[in-house]
Coordinates of all heavy atoms in Angstrom, one line a residue:
Chain B
D1318 N 136.7 6.4 -10.5 CA 135.6 7.4 -10.3 C 134.6 7.5 -11.4 O 133.4 7.4 -11.3 CB 136.1 8.8 -10.1 CG 136.7 9.0 -8.6 OD1 136.4 8.1 -7.9 OD2 137.3 9.9 -8.4
I1319 N 135.0 7.7 -12.7 CA 134.2 7.7 -13.8 C 133.3 6.4 -13.9 O 132.1 6.5 -14.2 CB 135.0 8.0 -15.1 CG1 135.5 9.4 -15.2 CG2 134.2 7.5 -16.3 CD1 134.3 10.4 -15.4
S1320 N 134.0 5.3 -13.6 CA 133.3 4.2 -13.8 C 132.2 4.1 -12.7 O 131.1 3.6 -13.0 CB 134.4 3.0 -13.5 OG 133.7 1.8 -13.3
K1321 N 132.5 4.6 -11.6 CA 131.4 4.6 -10.5 C 130.4 5.5 -10.8 O 129.1 5.1 -10.7 CB 132.1 5.1 -9.2 CG 132.9 4.1 -8.3 CD 133.5 4.7 -7.3 CE 134.7 3.9 -6.6 NZ 135.4 4.9 -5.7
I1322 N 130.8 6.7 -11.4 CA 129.7 7.7 -11.7 C 128.7 7.1 -12.8 O 127.6 7.2 -12.7 CB 130.4 9.0 -12.2 CG1 130.9 9.7 -10.9 CG2 129.3 9.9 -12.9 CD1 131.9 10.7 -11.2
E1323 N 129.4 6.5 -13.8 CA 128.6 6.1 -15.0 C 127.8 4.8 -14.6 O 126.7 4.5 -15.2 CB 129.6 5.7 -16.2 CG 130.0 7.0 -16.8 CD 130.9 6.7 -18.1 OE1 131.2 5.6 -18.3 OE2 131.1 7.7 -18.7
S1324 N 128.2 4.1 -13.6 CA 127.4 3.0 -13.2 C 126.4 3.3 -12.2 O 125.6 2.4 -11.6 CB 128.2 1.7 -12.7 OG 128.8 2.1 -11.5
G1325 N 126.5 4.5 -11.7 CA 125.5 5.1 -10.8 C 125.8 4.7 -9.3 O 125.0 4.7 -8.5
S1326 N 127.1 4.1 -9.1 CA 127.4 3.5 -7.8 C 128.2 4.5 -7.0 O 128.9 4.1 -6.0 CB 128.0 2.3 -8.0 OG 129.2 2.3 -8.6
L1327 N 128.3 5.8 -7.4 CA 129.1 6.7 -6.6 C 128.5 7.1 -5.4 O 127.3 7.5 -5.3 CB 129.4 8.0 -7.4 CG 130.2 9.0 -6.7 CD1 131.6 8.7 -6.9 CD2 129.8 10.4 -7.2
A1328 N 129.0 6.7 -4.2 CA 128.3 6.9 -2.9 C 129.2 7.9 -2.2 O 130.4 7.9 -2.2 CB 128.2 5.7 -2.1
L1329 N 128.5 9.0 -1.6 CA 129.1 10.0 -0.9 C 129.3 9.6 0.6 O 128.4 8.9 1.0 CB 128.5 11.4 -1.2 CG 128.5 11.9 -2.5 CD1 127.6 13.2 -2.6 CD2 129.8 12.1 -3.1
I1330 N 130.4 9.9 1.2 CA 130.5 9.6 2.6 C 130.2 11.1 3.2 O 131.1 12.0 3.2 CB 131.9 9.2 3.0 CG1 132.1 7.7 2.4 CG2 132.2 9.0 4.4 CD1 133.5 7.4 2.0
V1331 N 129.1 11.3 3.8 CA 128.6 12.6 4.2 C 128.9 12.9 5.6 O 128.5 12.1 6.5 CB 127.1 12.6 3.9 CG1 126.6 14.0 4.1 CG2 126.9 12.2 2.4
D1332 N 129.4 14.1 5.9 CA 129.6 14.8 7.2 C 128.7 15.9 7.2 O 128.5 16.5 6.2 CB 131.0 14.9 7.5 CG 131.8 13.7 7.7 OD1 131.3 12.8 8.5 OD2 132.8 13.4 7.1
N1333 N 128.5 16.4 8.4 CA 127.7 17.7 8.4 C 128.5 18.8 8.9 O 128.0 19.9 9.3 CB 126.5 17.4 9.4 CG 126.9 17.1 10.8 OD1 128.1 17.0 11.0 ND2 125.9 16.9 11.7
D1334 N 129.9 18.6 8.9 CA 130.7 19.8 9.4 C 131.8 20.0 8.4 O 133.0 20.1 8.9 CB 131.2 19.5 10.8 CG 132.1 18.1 10.8 OD1 131.9 17.4 9.7 OD2 132.7 18.0 11.8
V1335 N 131.5 20.1 7.1 CA 132.6 20.2 6.1 C 133.1 21.7 6.3 O 132.2 22.6 5.9 CB 132.2 19.7 4.7 CG1 133.2 20.0 3.8 CG2 131.7 18.3 4.8
D1336 N 134.3 21.9 6.5 CA 134.9 23.2 6.7 C 135.5 23.6 5.3 O 136.7 23.2 5.0 CB 135.9 23.1 7.7 CG 136.4 24.6 8.0 OD1 136.1 25.5 7.3 OD2 137.2 24.7 9.1
I1337 N 134.7 24.4 4.5 CA 135.2 24.8 3.2 C 136.5 25.6 3.2 O 137.5 25.2 2.5 CB 134.1 25.6 2.4 CG1 132.8 24.6 2.2 CG2 134.6 26.0 1.0 CD1 133.1 23.4 1.3
P1338 N 136.7 26.6 4.1 CA 138.0 27.4 4.1 C 139.2 26.4 4.4 O 140.2 26.5 3.8 CB 137.8 28.3 5.2 CG 136.3 28.5 5.4 CD 135.7 27.2 5.0
H1339 N 138.9 25.4 5.2 CA 140.1 24.6 5.5 C 140.5 23.7 4.4 O 141.6 23.5 4.2 CB 139.6 23.6 6.8 CG 140.5 22.5 7.1 ND1 141.8 22.8 7.6 CD2 140.4 21.2 6.9 CE1 142.4 21.6 7.7 NE2 141.7 20.6 7.3
L1340 N 139.4 23.2 3.7 CA 139.7 22.4 2.4 C 140.3 23.3 1.4 O 141.2 22.8 0.7 CB 138.4 21.7 1.9 CG 137.7 20.8 2.8 CD1 136.3 20.2 2.2 CD2 138.6 19.6 3.1
I1341 N 139.9 24.6 1.2 CA 140.6 25.4 0.3 C 142.1 25.6 0.6 O 142.9 25.5 -0.2 CB 139.8 26.8 0.3 CG1 138.5 26.5 -0.3 CG2 140.7 27.7 -0.7 CD1 137.6 27.9 -0.2
D1342 N 142.3 25.7 2.0 CA 143.7 25.9 2.4 C 144.5 24.7 2.1 O 145.6 24.7 1.5 CB 143.7 26.2 3.9 CG 143.4 27.6 4.3 OD1 143.5 28.4 3.3 OD2 143.1 27.8 5.4
R1343 N 144.0 23.4 2.3 CA 144.6 22.2 2.0 C 145.0 22.1 0.5 O 146.0 21.7 0.1 CB 143.8 21.0 2.5 CG 144.1 20.6 4.1 CD 143.2 19.5 4.4 NE 143.8 18.3 3.7 CZ 143.1 17.1 3.9 NH1 142.3 16.9 4.7 NH2 143.7 16.0 3.3
A1344 N 143.9 22.5 -0.3 CA 144.1 22.3 -1.7 C 145.2 23.4 -2.3 O 146.1 23.0 -3.1 CB 142.8 22.6 -2.4
A1345 N 145.1 24.6 -1.6 CA 146.0 25.7 -2.0 C 147.3 25.3 -1.8 O 148.4 25.7 -2.5 CB 145.5 27.0 -1.3
A1346 N 147.6 24.5 -0.7 CA 148.9 24.2 -0.1 C 149.6 23.3 -1.2 O 150.9 23.3 -1.1 CB 148.8 23.4 1.1
T1347 N 148.9 22.6 -2.0 CA 149.6 21.8 -3.0 C 150.0 22.6 -4.1 O 150.8 22.0 -5.0 CB 148.5 20.7 -3.5 OG1 147.4 21.3 -4.1 CG2 148.0 19.9 -2.3
T1348 N 149.5 23.7 -4.4 CA 149.8 24.5 -5.7 C 151.3 24.8 -5.7 O 151.8 25.1 -6.9 CB 148.9 25.7 -5.7 OG1 149.3 26.7 -4.6 CG2 147.5 25.3 -5.8
D1349 N 151.9 25.1 -4.5 CA 153.3 25.5 -4.6 C 154.3 24.6 -5.4 O 155.0 25.1 -6.3 CB 153.9 25.4 -3.1 CG 153.2 26.5 -2.3 OD1 152.5 27.3 -2.8 OD2 153.3 26.4 -1.0
V1350 N 154.0 23.3 -5.3 CA 154.8 22.3 -6.0 C 154.5 22.5 -7.5 O 155.5 22.5 -8.2 CB 154.5 20.9 -5.6 CG1 155.4 19.9 -6.3 CG2 154.5 20.9 -4.1
I1351 N 153.2 22.7 -7.9 CA 152.9 22.7 -9.3 C 153.5 24.0 -10.0 O 153.9 24.0 -10.9 CB 151.4 22.5 -9.5 CG1 150.8 21.3 -8.7 CG2 151.1 22.4 -11.0 CD1 149.4 21.2 -8.7
L1352 N 153.2 25.1 -9.2 CA 153.6 26.4 -9.8 C 155.1 26.5 -9.9 O 155.6 27.1 -10.8 CB 153.0 27.5 -9.0 CG 151.4 27.7 -9.1 CD1 150.9 28.8 -8.1 CD2 151.1 28.1 -10.6
A1353 N 155.7 25.8 -8.9 CA 157.2 25.9 -8.8 C 157.7 27.2 -8.9 O 157.2 28.2 -8.1 CB 157.7 25.0 -9.9
D1354 N 158.3 27.6 -10.0 CA 158.8 29.0 -10.1 C 158.3 29.7 -11.2 O 158.7 30.7 -11.8 CB 160.4 29.0 -10.3 CG 160.8 27.9 -11.4 OD1 159.9 27.4 -11.9 OD2 162.0 27.8 -11.6
K1355 N 157.0 29.4 -11.5 CA 156.2 30.1 -12.7 C 155.9 31.4 -12.0 O 155.4 31.6 -10.7 CB 155.0 29.4 -13.1 CG 155.3 28.3 -14.1 CD 154.0 27.8 -14.8 CE 153.2 26.9 -14.0 NZ 152.1 26.3 -14.9
P1356 N 155.8 32.5 -12.8 CA 155.5 33.9 -12.2 C 153.9 34.0 -12.2 O 153.3 34.8 -12.8 CB 156.0 34.8 -13.3 CG 156.0 34.0 -14.6 CD 156.2 32.7 -14.3
V1357 N 153.4 33.2 -11.3 CA 151.9 33.1 -11.1 C 151.7 33.5 -9.6 O 152.2 32.8 -8.7 CB 151.3 31.9 -11.4 CG1 149.8 31.9 -11.2 CG2 151.5 31.6 -12.9
A1358 N 150.9 34.5 -9.3 CA 150.5 34.8 -7.9 C 149.2 34.2 -7.5 O 148.2 34.2 -8.3 CB 150.3 36.4 -7.8
L1359 N 149.2 33.6 -6.3 CA 147.9 32.9 -5.9 C 147.3 34.0 -5.0 O 147.8 34.3 -3.9 CB 148.3 31.8 -5.1 CG 147.0 30.8 -4.7 CD1 146.2 30.4 -5.8 CD2 147.5 29.8 -3.8
K1360 N 146.1 34.4 -5.3 CA 145.3 35.4 -4.5 C 144.2 34.7 -3.9 O 143.3 34.1 -4.5 CB 144.8 36.6 -5.4 CG 145.9 37.4 -6.1 CD 145.3 38.4 -7.0 CE 146.4 39.1 -7.8 NZ 145.8 40.0 -8.8
M1361 N 144.2 34.8 -2.5 CA 143.0 34.1 -1.8 C 142.3 35.1 -1.2 O 142.6 36.2 -0.6 CB 143.8 33.3 -0.6 CG 144.7 32.2 -1.1 SD 143.9 31.0 -2.0 CE 143.1 30.1 -0.6
D1362 N 140.9 34.9 -1.4 CA 139.9 35.9 -0.8 C 138.7 35.0 -0.3 O 137.7 34.8 -1.0 CB 139.4 36.7 -1.9 CG 138.4 37.8 -1.4 OD1 138.2 37.9 -0.1 OD2 137.7 38.4 -2.2
V1363 N 138.9 34.4 0.8 CA 137.9 33.5 1.3 C 137.3 34.0 2.6 O 138.0 34.3 3.5 CB 138.5 32.1 1.6 CG1 137.5 31.1 2.1 CG2 139.2 31.5 0.3
A1364 N 136.1 34.2 2.6 CA 135.4 34.7 3.7 C 135.6 33.9 5.0 O 135.5 32.5 4.9 CB 133.8 34.8 3.5
A1365 N 135.9 34.5 6.1 CA 136.4 33.6 7.3 C 135.0 33.0 8.0 O 135.3 32.0 8.7 CB 137.0 34.6 8.3
D1366 N 133.9 33.6 7.8 CA 132.8 33.1 8.5 C 131.9 32.3 7.6 O 130.7 32.2 7.8 CB 132.0 34.4 9.0 CG 131.5 35.2 7.9 OD1 132.0 35.1 6.7 OD2 130.7 36.1 8.1
L1367 N 132.5 31.6 6.7 CA 131.7 30.6 5.9 C 131.2 29.5 6.9 O 131.9 28.9 7.6 CB 132.5 30.0 4.8 CG 132.8 30.8 3.5 CD1 133.5 30.1 2.5 CD2 131.3 31.4 3.0
P1368 N 129.9 29.1 6.7 CA 129.4 28.2 7.6 C 129.8 26.7 7.2 O 130.0 26.5 5.9 CB 127.9 28.3 7.4 CG 127.7 28.9 6.0 CD 128.8 29.6 5.7
P1369 N 129.8 25.8 8.1 CA 130.2 24.4 7.7 C 129.0 23.8 6.8 O 127.8 24.3 7.1 CB 130.3 23.7 9.0 CG 129.5 24.4 10.1 CD 129.6 25.9 9.6
I1370 N 129.3 23.0 5.9 CA 128.1 22.5 5.0 C 128.1 21.0 5.2 O 129.0 20.3 5.8 CB 128.3 22.9 3.6 CG1 129.5 22.1 3.0 CG2 128.6 24.4 3.5 CD1 129.5 22.2 1.4
I1371 N 126.9 20.4 4.7 CA 126.8 19.0 4.6 C 127.4 18.5 3.4 O 127.0 19.1 2.3 CB 125.4 18.6 4.7 CG1 124.7 19.1 6.0 CG2 125.1 17.1 4.6 CD1 123.3 18.9 6.3
G1372 N 128.3 17.5 3.4 CA 128.9 17.0 2.2 C 130.0 15.9 2.5 O 130.2 15.5 3.6
D1373 N 130.7 15.5 1.4 CA 131.7 14.6 1.5 C 133.0 15.3 1.4 O 133.4 15.8 0.4 CB 131.6 13.6 0.3 CG 132.6 12.4 0.4 OD1 133.7 12.7 0.9 OD2 132.2 11.3 -0.1
K1374 N 133.7 15.4 2.6 CA 135.0 16.1 2.7 C 136.0 15.7 1.6 O 136.5 16.5 1.0 CB 135.7 15.9 4.0 CG 135.2 16.6 5.2 CD 135.9 16.3 6.4 CE 135.1 16.5 7.7 NZ 135.6 15.9 9.0
Q1375 N 136.2 14.4 1.5 CA 137.2 13.9 0.5 C 136.9 14.4 -0.8 O 137.8 14.8 -1.6 CB 137.3 12.4 0.6 CG 138.0 11.9 1.8 CD 139.4 12.3 1.9 OE1 140.2 12.3 0.9 NE2 140.0 12.5 3.1
R1376 N 135.5 14.2 -1.3 CA 135.2 14.5 -2.6 C 135.2 16.0 -2.9 O 135.7 16.5 -3.9 CB 133.8 13.9 -2.8 CG 133.6 12.5 -2.9 CD 134.5 11.9 -3.8 NE 134.3 10.4 -4.1 CZ 135.0 9.6 -4.9 NH1 136.0 10.2 -5.6 NH2 134.7 8.3 -5.0
I1377 N 134.8 16.9 -1.9 CA 134.9 18.3 -2.1 C 136.4 18.7 -2.1 O 136.8 19.5 -3.0 CB 134.2 19.0 -0.9 CG1 132.7 18.8 -1.0 CG2 134.4 20.6 -0.9 CD1 132.0 19.2 0.1
L1378 N 137.3 18.1 -1.4 CA 138.7 18.3 -1.5 C 139.1 18.1 -2.9 O 140.0 18.7 -3.4 CB 139.5 17.6 -0.4 CG 140.9 17.8 -0.5 CD1 141.4 19.2 -0.2 CD2 141.6 16.9 0.6
Q1379 N 138.7 16.9 -3.4 CA 139.1 16.3 -4.7 C 138.6 17.3 -5.7 O 139.5 17.7 -6.6 CB 138.4 15.0 -4.9 CG 138.7 14.5 -6.3 CD 138.0 13.1 -6.5 OE1 137.2 12.6 -5.6 NE2 138.0 12.6 -7.7
V1380 N 137.5 18.0 -5.6 CA 137.1 18.9 -6.6 C 138.0 20.2 -6.4 O 138.4 20.7 -7.6 CB 135.5 19.4 -6.4 CG1 135.2 20.5 -7.3 CG2 134.7 18.2 -6.7
L1381 N 138.2 20.6 -5.2 CA 139.0 21.9 -5.1 C 140.4 21.6 -5.6 O 141.0 22.6 -6.3 CB 139.0 22.3 -3.6 CG 137.7 22.7 -3.0 CD1 137.7 22.9 -1.5 CD2 137.3 24.1 -3.8
L1382 N 141.0 20.4 -5.3 CA 142.3 20.1 -5.8 C 142.4 20.2 -7.4 O 143.3 20.7 -7.9 CB 142.8 18.8 -5.3 CG 143.2 18.6 -3.8 CD1 143.3 17.2 -3.4 CD2 144.6 19.3 -3.8
N1383 N 141.4 19.7 -7.9 CA 141.2 19.5 -9.3 C 141.2 21.0 -9.9 O 141.9 21.3 -11.0 CB 140.0 18.8 -9.7 CG 139.8 18.6 -11.2 OD1 140.9 18.2 -11.8 ND2 138.8 18.9 -11.8
L1384 N 140.3 21.8 -9.3 CA 140.3 23.2 -9.9 C 141.6 24.0 -9.8 O 142.0 24.6 -10.7 CB 139.0 24.0 -9.1 CG 137.7 23.5 -9.3 CD1 136.7 24.2 -8.5 CD2 137.3 23.6 -10.8
L1385 N 142.1 23.9 -8.7 CA 143.4 24.5 -8.4 C 144.5 23.9 -9.3 O 145.3 24.8 -9.8 CB 143.8 24.6 -7.0 CG 143.0 25.7 -6.1 CD1 143.2 25.4 -4.7 CD2 143.6 27.1 -6.5
S1386 N 144.7 22.7 -9.3 CA 145.8 22.2 -10.1 C 145.5 22.5 -11.6 O 146.5 22.7 -12.3 CB 145.9 20.6 -9.9 OG 144.7 20.0 -10.4
N1387 N 144.2 22.4 -12.0 CA 143.9 22.7 -13.4 C 144.4 24.1 -13.6 O 145.0 24.4 -14.7 CB 142.3 22.6 -13.5 CG 142.0 22.5 -15.1 OD1 142.4 21.5 -15.7 ND2 141.2 23.3 -15.6
A1388 N 144.0 25.1 -12.8 CA 144.4 26.6 -13.0 C 145.9 26.7 -13.0 O 146.5 27.3 -13.9 CB 143.8 27.3 -11.9
C1389 N 146.5 26.0 -12.1 CA 148.1 26.1 -12.1 C 148.6 25.6 -13.3 O 149.6 26.2 -13.9 CB 148.6 25.4 -10.9 SG 148.2 26.1 -9.3
K1390 N 148.1 24.4 -13.8 CA 148.8 23.8 -15.0 C 148.6 24.8 -16.2 O 149.5 24.9 -16.9 CB 147.9 22.5 -15.3 CG 148.5 21.3 -14.7 CD 147.8 20.0 -15.2 CE 147.0 19.4 -14.0 NZ 146.1 18.4 -14.5
F1391 N 147.5 25.3 -16.4 CA 147.3 26.1 -17.6 C 147.7 27.6 -17.5 O 147.6 28.3 -18.5 CB 145.8 26.0 -18.0 CG 145.5 24.6 -18.5 CD1 144.6 23.9 -17.7 CD2 145.9 24.2 -19.7 CE1 144.3 22.6 -18.1 CE2 145.6 22.9 -20.1 CZ 144.7 22.0 -19.3
T1392 N 148.1 28.0 -16.3 CA 148.5 29.4 -16.3 C 150.0 29.6 -16.1 O 150.7 29.1 -15.3 CB 147.9 30.1 -14.9 OG1 146.4 29.8 -14.9 CG2 148.1 31.5 -14.9
E1393 N 150.6 30.3 -17.2 CA 152.0 30.3 -17.3 C 152.5 31.5 -16.6 O 153.6 31.7 -16.0 CB 152.5 30.4 -18.7 CG 152.3 29.0 -19.3 CD 153.1 28.0 -18.7 OE1 154.1 28.1 -18.2 OE2 152.3 26.8 -18.5
E1394 N 151.7 32.6 -16.6 CA 152.0 33.8 -15.9 C 150.7 34.6 -15.5 O 149.6 34.4 -16.2 CB 152.9 34.8 -16.7 CG 152.3 35.1 -18.1 CD 153.3 36.0 -18.9 OE1 154.2 36.7 -18.1 OE2 153.2 36.1 -20.1
G1395 N 150.9 35.5 -14.5 CA 149.6 36.2 -14.1 C 149.1 35.8 -12.8 O 150.1 35.7 -11.9
S1396 N 147.9 35.4 -12.6 CA 147.5 35.1 -11.3 C 146.4 34.1 -11.3 O 145.8 33.9 -12.3 CB 147.0 36.4 -10.6 OG 145.8 36.9 -11.4
I1397 N 146.2 33.5 -10.1 CA 145.0 32.6 -9.9 C 144.4 33.2 -8.6 O 145.0 33.3 -7.5 CB 145.5 31.1 -9.6 CG1 146.3 30.6 -10.9 CG2 144.4 30.2 -9.1 CD1 146.9 29.3 -10.7
S1398 N 143.1 33.5 -8.8 CA 142.4 34.1 -7.7 C 141.3 33.0 -7.2 O 140.6 32.5 -8.1 CB 141.5 35.4 -8.2 OG 142.4 36.2 -8.9
V1399 N 141.4 32.9 -5.9 CA 140.4 32.0 -5.3 C 139.5 32.7 -4.4 O 140.0 33.5 -3.5 CB 141.1 30.8 -4.4 CG1 140.1 29.9 -3.8 CG2 142.0 30.1 -5.4
K1400 N 138.2 32.6 -4.6 CA 137.3 33.4 -3.9 C 136.3 32.5 -3.1 O 135.9 31.5 -3.9 CB 136.4 34.3 -4.8 CG 136.9 35.8 -4.8 CD 136.2 36.5 -5.9 CE 135.4 37.7 -5.3 NZ 134.7 38.4 -6.4
G1401 N 136.1 32.7 -1.9 CA 135.0 31.8 -1.2 C 134.1 32.7 -0.5 O 134.4 33.6 0.2
Y1402 N 132.8 32.6 -0.8 CA 131.7 33.4 -0.2 C 130.4 32.7 -0.1 O 130.2 31.7 -0.8 CB 131.6 34.7 -0.8 CG 131.2 34.6 -2.3 CD1 129.9 34.6 -2.8 CD2 132.2 34.4 -3.3 CE1 129.5 34.5 -4.1 CE2 131.9 34.3 -4.7 CZ 130.6 34.3 -5.1 OH 130.2 34.2 -6.3

Side-chain angles (χ1 to χ4, degrees):
Chain B
D1318 280 346
I1319 284 293
S1320 169
K1321 284 177 198 165
I1322 287 164
E1323 288 186 347
S1324 69
S1326 62
L1327 180 82
L1329 298 177
I1330 296 156
V1331 182
D1332 287 310
N1333 59 0
D1334 59 348
V1335 180
D1336 185 352
I1337 296 295
H1339 173 67
L1340 293 178
I1341 292 174
D1342 283 344
R1343 275 182 66 178
T1347 64
T1348 58
D1349 293 345
V1350 186
I1351 309 169
L1352 286 174
D1354 48 2
K1355 282 198 283 192
V1357 175
L1359 184 66
K1360 297 175 182 170
M1361 300 295 286
D1362 179 15
V1363 179
D1366 57 349
L1367 281 184
I1370 72 165
I1371 297 173
D1373 185 327
K1374 277 179 205 170
Q1375 287 293 328
R1376 293 302 189 179
I1377 293 170
L1378 177 62
Q1379 183 183 346
V1380 174
L1381 292 171
L1382 281 169
N1383 183 54
L1384 291 178
L1385 278 166
S1386 65
N1387 199 60
C1389 294
K1390 262 186 256 172
F1391 291 108
T1392 308
E1393 290 308 317
E1394 57 180 337
S1396 64
I1397 295 168
S1398 307
V1399 179
K1400 262 170 119 179
Y1402 57 94

